[in-house]
Amino acid sequence: MQNLKSQYWRTIGDVQLKDLVFIDERSVNLAMTRCYGRAKKGKRAYSKSPYNRGQNITMIGAIATTGFLAHARI
């Protein structure tokens, strides 16, 4: 195990910071809503929520040390 760690750090040590790109993927459903709410003492919390399942939205983005590179909505 220790040998693998040493090998990893020798390999990653050659990578330049400017060459790194980080990619993130997120997903959200437009019908997502909270099940509980808060209200002042003696008051009732009201809210509207969708009745159907809603649409799923997926977003992907890429960022590097130079800034934001790209984004896509699928």
Side-chain angles (χ1 to χ4, degrees), residues 1 3-4 8 10 12 17-18 22-24 26-30 37 41 45 47 49 52-53 57-59 65 68:
M1 183 69 152
N3 188 25
L4 290 174
Y8 169 79
R10 280 194 304 273
I12 201 73
L17 185 60
K18 65 179 179 61
F22 299 93
I23 298 173
D24 187 31
R26 294 191 173 235
S27 182
V28 67
N29 184 294
L30 296 180
K41 190 172 183 176
S47 178
S49 64
N52 54 10
R53 292 179 50 131
I57 302 292
T58 301
M59 299 164 281
T65 56
F68 195 64

Side-chain angles (χ1 to χ4, degrees), residues 28-72:
V28 67
N29 184 294
L30 296 180
M32 293 175 78
T33 183
R34 295 179 183 228
C35 296
Y36 301 95
R38 294 180 184 226
K40 291 184 179 180
K41 190 172 183 176
K43 300 289 182 178
R44 190 170 188 90
Y46 292 97
S47 178
K48 295 180 182 179
S49 64
Y51 291 106
N52 54 10
R53 292 179 50 131
Q55 182 182 6
N56 290 328
I57 302 292
T58 301
M59 299 164 281
I60 300 173
I63 193 167
T65 56
T66 56
F68 195 64
L69 298 177
H71 64 84

